[in-house]
Amino acid sequence: MTQAPEPERADEQTILSQLPAGTRLGRVLRGDARVYHVLIDGEVIQAAPRGRLFEELGEVRTPVAVGDRVAVSLDGDPPGVELVLPRDNYLSKVSSSHDPREQILFANVDQLINVASVGQPGFSSNRTDRILAACEWQEIPASIVLNKVDLDARGDVEGIVETYERAGYEVIQTSAEKREGLERLRAKLDGKTTVLYGASGVGKSTLINELYGMKLKIGKISRFWSQGKHTTTFSRAIPIDGDTWVVDTPGIRVFRLYGLNKGQLRHLFPDFAPYNTKCRFPNCAHDHEPDCAVVNAVEAGELATSRYLSYVEMLDELAPPPEDVATYGETGEESEG
Ligand SMILES: Nc1nc2c(ncn2[C@@H]2O[C@H](COP(=O)(O)OP(=O)(O)OP(=O)(O)O)[C@@H](O)[C@H]2O)c(=O)[nH]1
Ligand SMILES: [Zn+2]
């Protein structure tokens, strides 16, 4: 199954008591490797990461992620991020096609909502399937908001909803324009930290402003939403009201999962689960093997072709599992289920 990190609950008081006086806990709103904006008791502090945070980075590009809970020493100039508390969860991707290192997009969230639209821009199943698989990998609850349903002249909505509900994902249909579905979305967001992931122009800002526009009190932060076009390639955590936070992600063109191999991908498509154990080969990659239950299900119309195509495209990008050479094609093994 997936190998997401076990959530660790840090005893924040214990950690704080071991740090120098003048150190405070806060949450990272945004930043790059040089300076982070940290919300500490309602105030945004700019802090620089201490050098030792970079010492054990390994393949991770930056030591601090948006959403991290961090300890900041306020007496320095600039104040310093001394420590990153253990993460409940996080989502990372391959940095870029030129940079194979791990880029952590955000940490410590309750859920991710993939915001998509019909009409303009049209629905991208590839984009959706990639982020849903990533959430399965990191065990982050994921659902879908399908916005601009008022523009559904082609009648795409029904098929999209059916595909994803069959795969076990909640799909909330909204129209920010006609104010439809907003209450349901609000109930989903209230009191939680939610990542809004979606292509530019699907209506993320409009939806949030419709729901919470009047409540964005922190001037610096509320302006994020009115900028229209994103100027940075970084995520931003936005405190909205009480325990409600939204994390805005940059317009990522292709999300490539970090640290995954070919053998693990099939477990990240929940709709494949009933078929994964029924292929002729227990370790079937559902790619070119004979008697593949997944391919048969696609041909029979039981599984969405679009989901399968996303799977195959992602599969192509991944390295084989270490044991693949030894076991590939062997029969008579217990299937792993
Ligand atoms: N017809 C229709 N238009 C919408 C709806 N929601 C948003 N729009 C329009 O879509 C455009 C893009 O909306 P934004 O809220 O800026 O989209 P975004 O996802 O925040 O885009 P970025 O800021 O680039 O990430 C705007 O012109 C909105 O008015 C909707 O439900 N129906
Ligand atoms: Zn198969």
Side-chain angles (χ1 to χ4, degrees), residues 258-280:
Y258 180 87
L260 185 77
N261 68 46
K262 280 188 200 295
Q264 294 160 322
L265 183 65
R266 63 197 192 132
H267 300 298
L268 307 186
F269 283 69
D271 34 349
F272 292 8
Y275 307 99
N276 275 334
T277 54
K278 296 192 179 124
C279 302
R280 184 199 291 185

Side-chain angles (χ1 to χ4, degrees), residues 279 284-286 292-294:
C279 302
C284 182
H286 316 318
C292 170
V294 167

Side-chain angles (χ1 to χ4, degrees), residues 7 24 49 67-68 84 109-110 115 134 139 169 182 191 208 219 275 297 304 311 330 336:
R24 307 269 295 280
D68 267 340
V84 177
V109 301
D110 295 307
V115 186
E139 296 179 5
Y169 296 102
L182 297 184
I208 291 301
Y275 307 99
Y311 169 82
E330 283 181 12
E336 50 190 270

Side-chain angles (χ1 to χ4, degrees), residues 12 53 60 96 107 137 153 168 174 181 183 190 197 227 236 239 248:
E12 299 188 353
L53 292 179
V60 184
S96 74
W137 176 236
T174 59
E183 285 313 308
D190 274 349
Y197 180 89
Q227 279 169 3
R236 288 171 284 213
D248 179 29

Side-chain angles (χ1 to χ4, degrees), residues 14-254:
T14 310
I15 290 171
L16 258 190
S17 68
Q18 291 160 356
L19 289 164
T23 307
R24 307 269 295 280
L25 288 183
R27 194 167 192 199
V28 175
L29 301 179
R30 61 187 297 200
D32 52 40
R34 286 161 293 127
V35 62
Y36 292 95
H37 296 217
V38 184
L39 186 67
I40 300 175
D41 288 338
E43 199 186 342
V44 180
I45 304 286
Q46 297 195 24
R50 293 292 185 232
R52 65 185 139 78
L53 292 179
F54 290 86
E55 279 163 17
E56 291 190 0
L57 265 186
E59 280 295 292
V60 184
R61 211 171 71 174
T62 55
V64 183
V66 164
D68 267 340
R69 286 185 282 269
V70 292
V72 176
S73 55
L74 294 177
D75 36 15
D77 184 21
V81 178
E82 301 289 338
L83 182 76
V84 177
L85 272 60
R87 293 170 178 141
D88 293 342
N89 58 24
Y90 63 92
L91 192 75
S92 56
K93 63 187 256 303
V94 175
S95 292
S96 74
S97 48
H98 317 289
D99 183 352
R101 287 178 300 166
E102 178 176 17
Q103 177 190 13
I104 301 180
L105 286 174
F106 52 78
N108 303 322
V109 301
D110 295 307
Q111 60 179 342
L112 178 144
I113 295 182
N114 177 65
V115 186
S117 62
V118 288
Q120 186 61 266
F123 183 78
S124 165
S125 42
N126 189 282
R127 187 182 173 86
T128 299
D129 297 338
R130 281 175 182 272
I131 195 68
L132 293 179
C135 289
E136 295 290 336
W137 176 236
Q138 302 288 358
E139 296 179 5
I140 294 171
S143 55
I144 296 170
V145 160
L146 194 53
N147 189 36
K148 307 197 188 184
V149 292
D150 56 288
L151 297 181
D152 189 30
R154 297 200 324 215
D156 293 336
V157 167
E158 195 183 343
I160 296 167
V161 172
E162 196 197 329
T163 293
Y164 290 95
E165 284 186 347
R166 239 200 295 175
Y169 296 102
E170 183 183 1
V171 185
I172 298 179
Q173 301 180 39
T174 59
S175 166
E177 177 87 9
K178 298 243 182 317
R179 298 197 54 81
E180 284 169 19
L182 297 184
E183 285 313 308
R184 191 171 161 200
L185 176 56
R186 188 184 179 118
K188 188 104 186 141
L189 297 175
D190 274 349
K192 298 213 168 95
T193 297
T194 303
V195 181
L196 294 183
Y197 180 89
S200 182
V202 295
K204 299 181 296 294
S205 318
T206 311
L207 285 167
I208 291 301
N209 278 329
E210 286 288 335
L211 290 174
Y212 298 110
M214 305 310 288
K215 289 201 171 161
L216 291 176
K217 288 198 190 97
I218 302 174
K220 240 184 186 164
I221 292 163
S222 65
R223 278 210 303 281
F224 291 163
W225 291 107
S226 53
Q227 279 169 3
K229 287 280 165 278
H230 292 336
T231 50
T232 77
T233 55
F234 300 100
S235 309
R236 288 171 284 213
I238 298 156
I240 289 192
D241 186 25
D243 291 332
T244 306
W245 289 66
V246 161
V247 178
D248 179 29
T249 54
I252 295 158
R253 266 183 303 156
V254 182

